[in-house]
Amino acid sequence: MKQHEIAALFTQMADLLEYRDENPFRIRAYRRAAQNLESFSGDLERLAAERRLRELSGIGADLAEKIEEYLQTGKMRAVESLKRRVPPGILELLEVPGLGPKTAKLLTKRLRVSTVGELEEAAKAHRIRGLPGFGAKKEENLLKGIGVLARGRERMHLGIAVPLANELLALLRRAPGVSRVSTAGSLRRMRETIGDLDLLAASTRPLKAMEALRKSSFCARVLASGRTKSSILTPDGLQIDLRVVPPESFGAALQYFTGSKEHNVRLRELAGRQGLKVNEYGVFRLKTGKRLAGREEADVYKALGLAWIPPELREDCGEIDAAKAGRLPSLVEAEDIRGDFHIHTRWSDGSDSLSRVAKAGTARGYQYLAICDHSPSLKVAHGMPVRRLREQMREIRALNARGGPLRLLMGAEVDILGDGSMDYPDAVLADLDFVVGSIHSGFGQGEAALTRRLIAAMRNPYVTLIAHPTGRLMGQREPYPVDLEAVFRAAKTTGTALELNAHPRRLDLNDASARRAREAGVMLALSTDTHSVDQLEQIAFGLAVARRAWLEPRHLLNCFTLNQLLAWVGRKRHK
Ligand code: DGT
Ligand code: CA
Ligand code: CA
Ligand code: ZN
């Protein structure tokens, strides 16, 4: 968790330096370091203790010292002192998505606003559109950004929630008397964002478990504290709800507190019709009060005549009828995943070498990884000219020639240009094993044009997969408008796969769209959009979306063997 805090401080540092018009090289160094820390999932504290921080890419002596300082003191003096040198309120303004330091400075001066609230008022009163360089559109975008910021504050994404939950579960497991622990609520259902984080423990000594949480460093404030339930706020303002129940009702409580509320309402209706009652203590016969189940969650469902329903499906979207009819999907599982597509390396904006990536893929037991670095138009990401791509292909061939269980596929993430054409010529694409098409520019073109672009790309025989089809970045950028139903039809007829991007800020397609895509007969593919090898494990977030979309292995390209995959790619090319 610490690396996220430090990354946020480095970003803040860069913003503040930029606001003060300071050295652009320093600004860039902080931004790079922040990016690298965000994607780092190793043990930062251990690395610091071994004085090896400088092995992280983009971390020199100066930044290493700042990281150490933060780890030791929980503070970064350089940031503190810089903060004192800008007007108060600026820090929050800088968090508004789409509002850079330069614009923030201009707006505060011209409008004499100093807080996000005042800026919002100014925008609503249309006092911004008249400023030089602005206009109605920019004013609207600013308002949107303020909205996104507010919503982003309300809910946390899985990339934050899952690691936090794992630490909390470990803490609870160590508390005296605790025999079982689990997440519950929206986190157990793996919704894309989590309101508050629900935890459940079975214990004979509930007060001890709650005390462990309250006395831990995760607790900044106690909101509520009873005999079976505690709610706390973490230092980041996230709410944790912990319930502790006796072991004999763990299953019933887990079922109840996993929700969703809508799923539980349906379940209780069903129970009522059978003369039964379900609550957080168990399943009971209404007439006699006899208890039929409670210790195990599966028994709760069984007592109601249902198969156990995976938590990801519990949204009252037909899962109870399916369970009754014995027609629940055989959801895709982690073991079914044979590889990952859309992997970046040092050849464009990733941080690792091809051989490091191959090693990490092998360690995960994968059969294949598609290396998909950026194409030349994406200059900010060091997109590769054809000559560099060819060079990379040679290196991939050489690595594959060494043998081993994992095959690197020669691929590219190719920009779909404004007119729907691809950023590499077809003759180059034809030499690749796997082609990902992405929109990274012209988001403002409007729905019709964006949809046309995607469809044009799918009509290219070499385009295997469309990446992040709606372009959203949670908390930063709304999805661009696109006619998804038209995209699904084109994907189906052209034989192009659509991505479930597993990055916790993207998760794009999302669960509902992915389910509709599947119903439209579209092939889907999970990919992590990995920029450094420790992000390969984020496949778990994409897997959660796939499960929430009711996907089975046959719906996902990742579950194909290498030969099946290559055959699938070839079918489109030879249509
Ligand atoms: P969130 O926190 O907004 O992401 O969503 P949840 O689903 O985690 O909701 P939360 O934390 O309010 O409650 C956790 C679960 O507990 C919920 O999914 C179902 C159960 N639950 C909570 N309150 C009620 C209630 O008033 N009625 C019913 N039937 N179930 C409830
Ligand atoms: Ca919750
Ligand atoms: Ca809750
Ligand atoms: Zn990418």
Side-chain angles (χ1 to χ4, degrees):
M1 297 305 292
K2 286 271 164 59
Q3 63 266 32
H4 296 292
E5 293 160 25
I6 296 170
L9 281 172
F10 281 174
T11 302
Q12 196 173 42
M13 190 79 182
D15 286 345
L16 290 169
L17 290 169
E18 198 171 340
Y19 182 82
R20 290 169 50 84
D21 288 323
E22 295 201 28
N23 183 344
F25 291 102
R26 266 188 86 199
I27 296 168
R28 215 167 307 146
Y30 278 112
R31 292 211 193 283
R32 269 204 60 175
Q35 213 183 359
N36 290 337
L37 282 170
E38 273 295 349
S39 61
F40 175 74
S41 72
D43 188 341
L44 194 69
E45 273 150 296
R46 156 116 51 95
L47 215 57
E50 293 169 359
R51 307 204 63 82
R52 288 169 49 209
L53 285 172
R54 291 178 66 181
E55 288 174 20
L56 294 172
S57 80
I59 306 292
D62 176 43
L63 295 190
E65 205 173 288
K66 292 200 165 68
I67 295 174
E68 279 163 9
E69 183 198 4
Y70 183 81
L71 291 175
Q72 279 157 22
T73 66
K75 282 205 182 78
M76 223 178 264
R77 276 167 308 169
V79 181
E80 308 283 320
S81 82
L82 202 52
K83 276 189 198 171
R84 283 194 293 272
R85 279 180 272 151
V86 298
I90 275 299
L91 299 168
E92 201 197 356
L93 278 175
L94 289 174
E95 283 181 37
V96 175
L99 182 60
K102 295 217 165 64
T103 315
K105 190 169 181 172
L106 186 89
L107 288 174
T108 49
K109 272 203 179 135
R110 290 289 193 122
L111 300 168
R112 297 221 192 86
V113 297
S114 53
T115 65
V116 172
E118 286 168 11
L119 184 69
E120 188 175 7
E121 268 173 40
K124 281 188 175 152
H126 301 314
R127 285 169 53 216
I128 294 177
R129 56 180 65 186
L131 296 176
F134 284 83
K137 186 93 195 160
K138 279 202 177 168
E139 191 177 78
E140 272 166 38
N141 284 342
L142 209 52
L143 271 175
K144 268 192 206 151
I146 292 171
V148 171
L149 176 69
R151 262 170 284 136
R153 287 237 172 101
E154 283 164 14
R155 302 183 65 85
M156 61 187 127
H157 63 73
L158 291 173
I160 304 281
V162 168
L164 174 62
N166 286 339
E167 290 188 56
L168 289 162
L169 290 175
L171 176 109
L172 289 172
R173 249 181 230 117
R174 289 194 300 267
V178 169
S179 52
R180 292 167 84 175
V181 295
S182 175
T183 57
S186 52
L187 180 60
R188 183 158 181 252
R189 303 197 310 280
M190 291 294 270
R191 271 193 64 178
E192 62 189 32
T193 62
I194 308 300
D196 60 22
L197 202 159
D198 299 288
L199 300 173
L200 183 70
S203 174
T204 47
R205 304 168 72 186
L207 294 176
K208 285 279 175 206
M210 291 191 283
E211 186 185 286
L213 180 66
R214 282 201 312 272
K215 291 204 166 148
S216 74
S217 62
F218 296 103
C219 181
R221 198 145 72 81
V222 178
L223 295 176
S225 166
R227 285 173 48 218
T228 60
K229 179 183 161 174
S230 289
S231 292
I232 63 155
L233 282 184
T234 68
D236 295 330
L238 309 175
Q239 185 177 329
I240 317 285
D241 287 351
L242 168 66
R243 279 132 183 135
V244 189
V245 300
E248 63 271 17
S249 52
F250 184 77
L254 185 57
Q255 194 292 313
Y256 183 87
F257 293 113
T258 296
S260 67
K261 212 183 244 181
E262 293 74 15
H263 172 89
N264 287 355
V265 167
R266 283 280 156 174
L267 210 62
R268 282 199 296 270
E269 283 169 9
L270 179 71
R273 287 199 297 273
Q274 301 176 32
L276 302 173
K277 184 176 84 175
V278 200
N279 58 26
E280 61 265 55
Y281 307 105
V283 182
F284 302 87
R285 242 187 250 297
L286 273 176
K287 265 200 194 132
T288 59
K290 182 172 187 254
R291 189 168 185 270
L292 303 177
R295 185 177 285 269
E296 300 301 328
E297 191 183 52
D299 295 341
V300 172
Y301 285 99
K302 200 166 150 199
L304 302 172
L306 301 175
W308 179 78
I309 300 176
E312 295 94 330
L313 301 184
R314 300 183 196 173
E315 300 290 350
D316 188 24
C317 286
E319 72 279 8
I320 292 180
D321 285 340
K324 222 179 340 185
R327 274 204 281 276
L328 281 170
S330 314
L331 293 183
V332 55
E333 296 180 23
E335 298 73 48
D336 299 321
I337 306 290
R338 298 176 199 260
D340 195 346
F341 312 111
H342 196 162
I343 306 290
H344 295 279
T345 70
R346 279 218 302 248
W347 287 74
S348 65
D349 63 346
S351 16
D352 294 309
S353 65
L354 286 167
S355 62
R356 183 120 195 258
V357 165
K359 208 185 269 172
T362 308
R364 294 186 62 84
Y366 284 162
Q367 274 188 28
Y368 46 83
L369 284 177
I371 303 299
C372 294
D373 277 307
H374 288 288
S375 65
S377 286
L378 206 60
K379 296 207 173 59
V380 289
H382 310 287
M384 303 183 294
V386 172
R387 181 182 44 77
R388 292 248 318 141
L389 174 64
R390 295 261 183 221
E391 221 177 292
Q392 187 192 42
M393 288 163 71
R394 273 196 298 278
E395 192 173 321
I396 291 175
R397 279 197 203 94
L399 279 169
N400 283 335
R402 289 191 202 162
L406 179 116
R407 165 92 168 262
L408 291 182
L409 299 176
M410 298 182 294
E413 179 177 17
V414 187
D415 267 48
I416 301 168
L417 302 178
D419 63 356
S421 64
M422 304 301 293
D423 199 19
Y424 285 127
D426 280 3
V428 173
L429 299 183
D431 290 339
L432 294 171
D433 300 317
F434 198 97
V435 176
V436 174
S438 297
I439 291 188
H440 288 123
S441 62
F443 298 129
Q445 281 179 336
E447 177 172 319
L450 284 160
T451 307
R452 268 200 306 277
R453 264 168 96 184
L454 288 175
I455 292 175
M458 287 189 273
R459 292 208 174 119
N460 183 306
Y462 303 108
V463 173
T464 322
L465 171 70
I466 298 293
H468 37 72
T470 79
R472 74 155 168 186
L473 276 175
M474 279 182 240
Q476 289 170 31
R477 189 169 74 214
E478 292 291 316
Y480 49 68
V482 55
D483 179 353
L484 277 180
E485 307 309 320
V487 168
F488 297 161
R489 281 193 299 274
K492 162 85 176 143
T493 52
T494 58
T496 313
L498 297 182
E499 184 178 71
L500 304 188
N501 191 296
H503 192 283
R505 283 192 186 279
R506 289 196 184 267
L507 300 183
D508 175 16
L509 299 174
N510 68 12
D511 45 14
S513 303
R515 189 171 175 189
R516 291 207 314 276
R518 191 213 73 181
E519 282 159 5
V522 174
M523 180 60 72
L524 294 152
L526 293 179
S527 46
T528 51
D529 208 343
T530 277
H531 284 73
S532 84
V533 289
D534 38 58
Q535 290 171 340
L536 286 173
E537 68 186 32
Q538 293 188 342
I539 197 89
F541 303 137
L543 186 68
V545 175
R547 290 169 61 87
R548 289 177 59 82
W550 292 53
L551 301 191
E552 303 185 357
R554 67 198 160 95
H555 301 121
L556 277 176
L557 211 48
N558 311 66
C559 303
F560 285 25
T561 63
L562 176 63
N563 285 336
Q564 287 170 331
L565 171 68
L566 294 175
W568 193 86
V569 174
R571 261 208 297 288
K572 176 175 178 184
R573 296 182 176 197
H574 300 121
K575 237 181 188 166

